């Protein structure tokens, strides 16, 4: 039996480069260990086996719910998301929640969501400064947070919207510390610590969310939002979701759909604005499809180059670096015999950078997605298998609506000086300095 290669180092030695320089660290590991390597993480009792060959990813994604558990691999997120979060569940509980959550995030409802995404983006652009440098990432965060509040939570303008928005902004800002990925820092060590402040903000937000859930249940009030659909959802035994399950899934949708989408859009503008020809082609496609000047969601959704661009953004700059499973029995993966309890991780970043799969992998080239269709274990920014992110369709749709609106309503350029690099924000990898841009003028 061959041994999985890797550096026999204490986790403390590899932890800092993994937390603060993750992409160069992974590039160096892949150069030394093609296809697979091991690494020790403080939160995991056994060394993790990190695969970066698509065939191994296919094997891992094919594992059944009793073979491998993703909830165990995501345990570090429990304090924020809660015990009933889809990301933390395994087995039958995971399958039940997944079936309840899937319908609201797919299908014909997308068009009504799209109109609101466009309107929120237009309102934001109207307040962007002209002819001066500003960090667009925080503006995109504000848009995606408002999408969550209105489209997912179903909360409109008013006191609750303002109070909850303020709390959620504080929570999401506090939760970006990479140190919170380590269990030692997820402890209350005094009233002035960052974790204590995060816990207090979470409690205040929870009180508002639980009050809104109880109010909507009691009144029977429903709207065109995801919370309304989840309140009425029933499992195979006819049972609804509990208040605790609803809270945890709402926070999961917030965590998975706010920072990640805003970060992907920021990277997208980085690459689109660097190519005047691509920007011109995207605008021309919107015109050809009849999506301009009125920005009709159903017409934007048909734009093939725009779709390819969103996919290339997520290939080149995946906002989450890896996904994983904890094996529930001994098994052979990627040609290696692994013990029960082994964390088997798939490096999204490294698979997306393989030159044998994506020629010239560091070049931003949306046309590669027009020339070729990639398998689910080759393009995997949302993970794969039975644990693939249920928000995939929603996230891609939202990215297209927001990018199309920015292309149509704003004339942006990159600043003349100052390059951006990758910085970690919690589990995501964002552009530095908030992705600075300059808006020359608003498009008419």
């Amino acid at each position: 039996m061959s041994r999985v290669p890797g550096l026999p180092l204490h986790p403390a030695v590899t932890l800092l480069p993994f937390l603060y320089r993750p992409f160069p660290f992974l590039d160096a590991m892949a150069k030394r260990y093609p296809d697979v390597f091991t690494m020790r993480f403080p939160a995991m009792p056994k060394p993790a086996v990190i695969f970066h060959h698509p065939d191994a990813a296919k094997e891992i994604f094919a594992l059944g719910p009793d073979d491998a558990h993703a909830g165990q691999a995501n345990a570090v997120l429990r304090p924020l998301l809660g015990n009933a979060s889809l990301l933390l569940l395994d087995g039958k509980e995971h399958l039940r929640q997944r079936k309840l959550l899937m319908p609201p995030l797919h299908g014909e409802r997308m068009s009504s969501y799209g109109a609101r995404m466009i309107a929120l983006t237009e309102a934001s652009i109207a307040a962007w400064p002209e002819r001066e440098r500003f960090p667009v990432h925080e503006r995109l965060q504000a848009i995606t947070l408002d999408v969550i509040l209105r489209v997912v939570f179903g909360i409109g303008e008013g006191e609750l919207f303002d109070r909850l928005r303020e709390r959620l902004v504080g929570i999401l800002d506090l939760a970006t510390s990479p140190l919170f990925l380590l269990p030692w820092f997820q402890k209350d060590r005094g009233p002035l610590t960052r974790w204590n402040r995060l816990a207090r903000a979470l409690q205040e937000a929870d009180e508002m969310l639980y009050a809104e859930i109880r109010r909507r249940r009691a009144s029977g009030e429903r709207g065109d939002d995801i919370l309304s659909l989840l309140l009425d959802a029933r499992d195979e035994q006819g049972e609804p979701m509990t208040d605790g399950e609803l809270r945890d899934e709402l926070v999961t949708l917030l965590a998975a759909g706010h920072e990640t989408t805003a970060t992907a859009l920021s990277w997208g503008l980085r690459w689109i604005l660097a190519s005047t020809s691509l920007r011109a082609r995207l605008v021309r496609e919107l015109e050809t499809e009849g999506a301009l000047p009125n920005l009709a969601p159903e017409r934007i959704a048909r734009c093939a180059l725009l779709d390819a661009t969103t996919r290339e953004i997520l290939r080149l700059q995946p906002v989450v670096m890896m996904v994983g499973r904890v094996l529930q029995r001994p098994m052979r993966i990627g040609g290696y015999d692994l013990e029960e309890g082994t964390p088997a991780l798939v490096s999204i970043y490294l698979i997306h950078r393989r030159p044998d799969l994506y020629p010239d992998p560091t070049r931003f080239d949306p046309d590669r997605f027009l020339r070729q269709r990639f398998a689910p274990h080759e393009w995997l920014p949302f993970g794969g298998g039975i644990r693939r992110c249920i928000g995939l369709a929603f996230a891609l749709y939202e990215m297209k609506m927001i990018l199309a609106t920015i292309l149509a309503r704003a004339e942006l350029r990159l600043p003349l000086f100052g390059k951006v690099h990758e910085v970690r924000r919690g589990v995501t990898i964002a552009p530095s300095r908030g992705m600075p841009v300059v808006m020359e003028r608003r498009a008419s």
Side-chain angles (χ1 to χ4, degrees), residues 208-224:
M208 286 183 262
L209 285 175
Y210 277 119
E212 178 65 7
I213 290 168
R214 290 193 295 268
R215 185 190 72 79
R216 301 267 286 272
R217 277 201 202 278
S219 67
E221 178 186 321
R222 299 293 185 268
D224 186 16

Side-chain angles (χ1 to χ4, degrees), residues 366-384:
D367 288 305
R368 70 174 86 236
F369 285 91
L370 298 177
R371 296 189 298 265
Q372 181 178 345
R373 188 177 184 88
F374 294 92
H377 58 281
E378 296 172 336
W379 183 77
L380 53 154
F382 298 92

Side-chain angles (χ1 to χ4, degrees), residues 61 70 73 101 108 113 162 202 214 244 252 300 323 363 415 424:
F61 292 158
L101 285 165
E108 297 177 358
Y113 300 161
D162 294 337
L202 266 173
R214 290 193 295 268
T252 299
I300 294 172
V323 292
R363 184 166 66 93
R424 187 186 277 278

Side-chain angles (χ1 to χ4, degrees), residues 254-314:
L254 167 70
H258 162 62
E259 177 75 25
T260 52
T261 305
T263 298
L265 288 165
S266 298
W267 283 119
L269 290 177
R270 156 70 182 90
W271 298 110
I272 292 169
L273 298 180
S275 172
T276 55
S277 62
L278 175 60
R279 187 187 187 283
R281 288 175 62 199
L282 287 166
V283 172
R284 193 159 55 247
E285 181 182 53
L286 291 169
E287 293 171 342
T288 302
E289 290 292 342
L292 295 179
N294 296 326
L295 291 172
E298 66 278 5
R299 295 181 181 274
I300 294 172
R302 291 205 300 258
C303 292
L305 178 60
L306 181 61
D307 180 76
T309 300
T310 62
R311 292 174 185 274
E312 177 69 346
I313 292 165
L314 293 168

Side-chain angles (χ1 to χ4, degrees), residues 279 287 292-293 407-411 441-444:
R279 187 187 187 283
E287 293 171 342
L292 295 179
L407 290 167
R409 304 293 190 241
E411 191 74 31
R441 59 183 173 80
R442 294 189 180 94
S444 57

